Amino acid sequence: MVERDGKPRQRRPDARSDVRVDQPRELSRRTLRRPSNLSTESFGVLSEKFARFMGTPTFLLWMSVFVVAWLGWNTFVPEAAQFDPRSLNYTLLTLILSLQASYAAPLILLAQNRQDDRDRVALEQDRVQAERALADTEYLTREVAALRIALRDAATRDFVRSELRSLLEEMEEKGLEVRLREQSEGPAPKG
């Protein structure tokens, strides 16, 4: 393409060159960005804290106090002051408890999944450590067996003493024989 002044028109770098009319466009997913200070890890930690708190007697006690106070207020005070009347079967309380349960269940499951992941990692580390301990034990067993074999071939103190005694006895017998020969034949010629 040529512009009015006769120079060729440069294509802008941001212009789409891959746009084709005969093919459908690829859908690009635009997801909502989560707040930068809320990472997956921090959300997981928060859900674990929430799940732990929901399993405490304190939570059960305060939840029971809340429900009893709600029911008491909406049952015994005059109808003009009730905000969730008994005649409507405590609809607002039911909705609040359902909403709480609908958020609690996934948060508890998330906390359990995180605990399962931690347990899996811990089991893997235990398995690796057990393999290492087994390898060390097998190595030490082979070394002890090699030492036993080497010690079996090594001369003991008693064995060396018995061998020296027998050599001494042999030498004494030969020395006696030499002396006896010398006495019977006479002194050996020097020379």
Side-chain angles (χ1 to χ4, degrees):
M1 296 191 156
V2 179
E3 289 189 14
R4 291 183 202 160
D5 60 356
K7 294 181 182 175
R9 191 166 78 182
Q10 298 269 335
R11 186 173 272 249
R12 290 183 304 179
D14 61 341
R16 291 187 180 186
S17 61
D18 60 344
V19 175
R20 295 185 50 152
V21 182
D22 60 338
Q23 293 179 349
R25 279 193 294 182
E26 291 183 20
L27 293 177
S28 62
R29 285 190 164 184
R30 290 198 163 196
T31 58
L32 294 175
R33 291 186 180 198
R34 67 175 170 236
S36 60
N37 61 349
L38 185 64
S39 68
T40 305
E41 183 65 23
S42 62
F43 185 75
V45 169
L46 183 68
S47 68
E48 285 179 342
K49 287 180 180 178
F50 180 74
R52 279 194 195 103
F53 175 68
M54 286 189 69
T56 61
T58 304
F59 174 78
L60 294 174
L61 178 70
W62 284 110
M63 191 65 170
S64 299
V65 167
F66 171 77
V67 170
V68 167
W70 185 288
L71 291 174
W73 180 270
N74 290 300
T75 302
F76 300 117
V77 295
E79 270 192 50
Q82 292 179 1
F83 52 88
D84 190 18
R86 181 177 179 198
S87 61
L88 296 176
N89 294 325
Y90 307 109
T91 307
L92 187 58
L93 177 64
T94 305
L95 288 174
I96 289 173
L97 292 177
S98 296
L99 181 67
Q100 185 243 349
S102 69
Y103 276 100
L107 288 174
I108 290 170
L109 287 174
L110 178 64
Q112 285 177 340
N113 289 341
R114 287 174 52 86
Q115 184 62 43
D116 289 344
D117 292 343
R118 278 195 300 273
D119 291 345
R120 194 175 305 112
V121 167
L123 286 174
E124 180 64 23
Q125 289 173 346
D126 290 346
R127 187 188 62 78
V128 167
Q129 187 176 3
E131 284 178 356
R132 210 176 297 140
L134 179 63
D136 290 345
T137 303
E138 288 175 350
Y139 171 75
L140 290 173
T141 303
R142 286 192 301 273
E143 288 297 313
V144 167
L147 283 173
R148 284 184 178 168
I149 291 170
L151 284 177
R152 189 177 338 141
D153 295 339
T156 63
R157 185 172 44 185
D158 293 335
F159 175 75
V160 171
R161 283 184 181 164
S162 67
E163 288 297 312
L164 286 175
R165 279 191 199 115
S166 64
L167 282 174
L168 184 60
E169 287 172 2
E170 280 181 37
M171 289 175 64
E172 285 177 351
E173 285 177 12
K174 286 186 180 181
L176 240 158
E177 287 176 13
V178 170
R179 284 190 201 142
L180 288 175
R181 258 194 239 149
E182 283 180 1
Q183 286 176 0
S184 64
E185 294 176 3
K190 293 184 182 179

